[in-house]
Amino acid sequence: MCSTCGCGENELTIHAHDHAHDPPHAHPHAHDHAPEVRRLALEQDILTKNAEFAAGNRRLFAERGVLVLNLVSSPGSGKTTLLARTVQTLRTEFPVAVIGGDQQTANDAERIRAAGAPALQINTGKGCHLDAHGIGHALERLPLPEHGVLFIENVGNLVCPADFDLGEACKVVVLSVTEGEDKPLKYPNMFAAAGLMLLNKTDLLPHLDFDVARCLDYARRVNPDIRILQLSARSGEGMDAWLDWLRQGQRSALARQVSRLEADLAAARARLAESAA
Amino acid sequence: MHELSLCESIIETLTVQTQRQGFSRVRRVWLEIGALANVELDALRFAFEIARRDTVADTAELDIVTLPGQAYCLDCAQAIAVHQYYDPCPCCGGFQWRLTGGNEMRIKELEVE
Ligand SMILES: Nc1nc2c(ncn2[C@@H]2O[C@H](COP(=O)(O)OP(=O)(O)OP(=O)(O)O)[C@@H](O)[C@H]2O)c(=O)[nH]1
Ligand SMILES: [Mg+2]
Ligand SMILES: [Zn+2]
Ligand SMILES: [Zn+2]
């Protein structure tokens, strides 16, 4: 049971099969109390609980018209550099904020604040990924950037964060050209889970033998639907396409909020008309 | 790695179930894990040994059933078998397929007392 939000175990939805509901221990006859062994069909996802917290977060983000992105990568791919540069530009257009997951320090959050956006660091200690419950608690301390964009910088790790839905609209996987072009094949689950891939540090390409075409081909093998943008968070090359992608996503989040509100309003009007009739 | 988180999640579910379904101990847990799921089975077994300590599953055995990777190839318009996310379609050699099964991570069944 979580003391802060009361989001306890009791809210867990269980999809047990009917035959599992045995009557609770009726004993019409005397017998020795050897434990009664039975089978119980559960058919429940291991991460059901995380999925429920994620659904709650997603509902909240939709209500407030916030576009939420979950940035995942290996350590040092350039996520914080990219986000600092991104919020510097976008904060003049709409609200932005960053939640960062880091095993130890709060340096990343300081870099984001220096760039002019609210930021909160979640220290995960030994934890190798953020989860939906942790994000819910982070939002008690960091106001949602309503009608804007919330970036979540996940722990640098291309394995574990792939499984944990945070309620985001999309996972954005950042791969830097110093890492080798076969990363999508080595960590296929992450590239399969992502909607957008950012190939970062392209300013270094002249000094490396990184094969861009092959890397993109690998990524598309694993995920034929993945969008790919190339950029350098250092030089700024390619940043415009990324910023435009974000602006478009933010507008879509607003448009979805408007449709929802209109549907709510129409339903309320219908109720009013009915009660007058 | 996150296999420990997965096992903690399993134990939490089992603990909730003791109250709901009126049992006191879990003797065996059957998991269904897809062939393409993001899980190392050895790490999962090892993590389960740690996570089950001093819980209702203290002595529970873990049985893992692996589910095959299944996909639908858009170019061939038919169901195919895959083993990895980067496998080509066995019929056309292309990659325009969508996974239809094989990334499950599910608690299938329990034996309880
Ligand atoms: N040349 C070059 N260096 C970059 C670029 N982007 C980031 N870096 C450098 O890469 C290093 C790591 O950058 P960070 O932004 O801290 O990376 P990160 O992904 O946030 O790292 P973790 O949070 O530790 O996983 C720093 O030295 C950055 O200056 C880029 O586009 N080009
Ligand atoms: Mg960082
Ligand atoms: Zn991990
Ligand atoms: Zn095919």
Side-chain angles (χ1 to χ4, degrees):
Chain A
M1 178 70 145
C2 167
S3 56
T4 331
C5 57
C7 42
E9 305 160 343
N10 299 337
E11 284 170 23
L12 200 59
T13 319
I14 310 292
H15 308 283
H17 287 188
D18 290 332
H19 58 261
H21 296 278
D22 289 339
H25 230 68
H27 283 314
H29 56 278
H31 63 88
D32 59 341
H33 271 262
E36 171 213 357
V37 177
R38 59 192 160 111
R39 298 273 285 254
L40 215 66
L42 264 192
E43 301 287 354
Q44 183 180 314
D45 277 351
I46 292 177
L47 289 174
T48 297
K49 191 150 188 192
N50 187 71
E52 287 173 3
F53 283 121
N57 292 348
R58 191 165 277 121
R59 236 178 350 259
L60 176 72
F61 301 151
E63 276 165 17
R64 309 289 179 83
V66 187
L67 172 69
V68 181
L69 299 171
N70 180 359
L71 273 82
V72 291
S73 80
S74 321
S77 67
K79 297 181 297 298
T80 308
T81 309
L82 174 71
L83 287 179
R85 201 173 178 126
T86 302
V87 300
Q88 220 159 18
T89 304
L90 291 185
R91 73 194 181 95
T92 60
E93 303 176 25
F94 43 74
V96 288
V98 177
I99 295 174
D102 202 302
Q103 292 196 318
Q104 296 298 340
T105 71
N107 297 345
D108 284 2
E110 278 152 30
R111 287 163 64 193
I112 298 295
R113 282 186 215 113
L120 183 82
Q121 198 82 33
I122 305 178
N123 284 133
T124 56
K126 290 199 183 67
C128 44
H129 58 268
L130 294 173
D131 62 27
H133 188 199
I135 295 299
H137 281 299
L139 292 173
E140 292 164 1
R141 293 187 287 145
L142 182 84
L144 260 187
E146 306 216 358
H147 322 305
V149 182
L150 172 67
F151 299 94
I152 302 174
E153 177 179 340
N154 218 311
V155 181
N157 173 346
L158 275 176
V159 180
C160 313
D163 281 345
F164 291 83
D165 183 5
L166 306 179
E168 71 270 1
C170 176
K171 285 191 176 68
V172 177
V173 61
V174 184
L175 178 63
S176 62
V177 299
T178 52
E179 295 179 56
E181 53 270 281
D182 56 353
K183 275 271 154 55
L185 300 188
K186 286 186 174 158
Y187 301 96
N189 291 78
M190 186 61 91
F191 287 82
L196 175 69
M197 164 174 155
L198 298 178
L199 186 64
N200 188 30
K201 308 196 188 180
T202 53
D203 59 295
L204 297 177
L205 280 173
H207 314 289
L208 304 167
D209 57 5
F210 185 91
D211 188 336
V212 173
R214 175 177 297 186
C215 179
L216 305 193
D217 177 53
Y218 286 158
R220 291 196 177 107
R221 278 189 202 182
V222 168
N223 182 350
D225 299 320
I226 200 165
R227 297 234 6 214
I228 303 176
L229 298 174
Q230 301 179 42
L231 51 77
S232 164
R234 170 149 317 161
S235 74
E237 179 194 9
M239 283 291 292
D240 284 344
W242 157 241
L243 294 173
D244 282 342
W245 185 87
L246 290 168
R247 291 182 184 111
Q248 206 180 332
Q250 184 256 354
R251 272 197 303 276
S252 309
L254 286 184
R256 277 194 300 276
Q257 188 191 25
V258 169
S259 321
R260 248 179 24 80
L261 289 174
E262 277 172 350
D264 285 354
L265 186 61
R269 285 215 169 101
R271 275 195 299 277
L272 182 63
E274 205 168 303
S275 74
Chain B
M1 294 308 247
H2 69 307
E3 280 79 3
L4 188 57
S5 301
L6 297 180
C7 288
E8 284 166 353
S9 194
I10 293 170
I11 296 294
E12 205 174 333
T13 300
L14 301 185
T15 308
V16 173
Q17 288 289 315
T18 52
Q19 295 149 20
R20 300 208 166 199
Q21 313 267 4
F23 59 85
S24 53
R25 282 183 60 222
V26 180
R27 295 161 56 114
R28 191 175 283 272
V29 180
W30 283 269
L31 301 183
E32 283 180 330
I33 306 289
L36 284 76
N38 194 24
V39 187
E40 289 283 346
L41 294 188
D42 284 340
L44 192 67
R45 287 192 190 94
F46 180 71
F48 189 76
E49 304 266 308
I50 296 169
R52 69 179 184 171
R53 277 182 205 149
D54 302 322
T55 73
V56 293
D58 213 338
T59 56
E61 304 279 339
L62 190 64
D63 255 313
I64 300 177
V65 180
T66 304
L67 301 181
Q70 296 170 311
Y72 184 82
C73 178
L74 300 179
D75 290 334
C76 301
Q78 64 168 334
I80 58 170
V82 293
H83 304 95
Q84 290 288 353
Y85 274 103
Y86 46 79
D87 272 355
C89 167
C91 305
C92 68
F95 295 92
Q96 285 297 327
W97 52 260
R98 303 292 181 272
L99 200 69
T100 53
N103 59 352
E104 301 82 356
M105 295 196 293
R106 204 184 290 144
I107 309 172
K108 181 175 170 51
E109 197 164 4
L110 310 176
E111 186 179 274
V112 302
E113 63 178 44

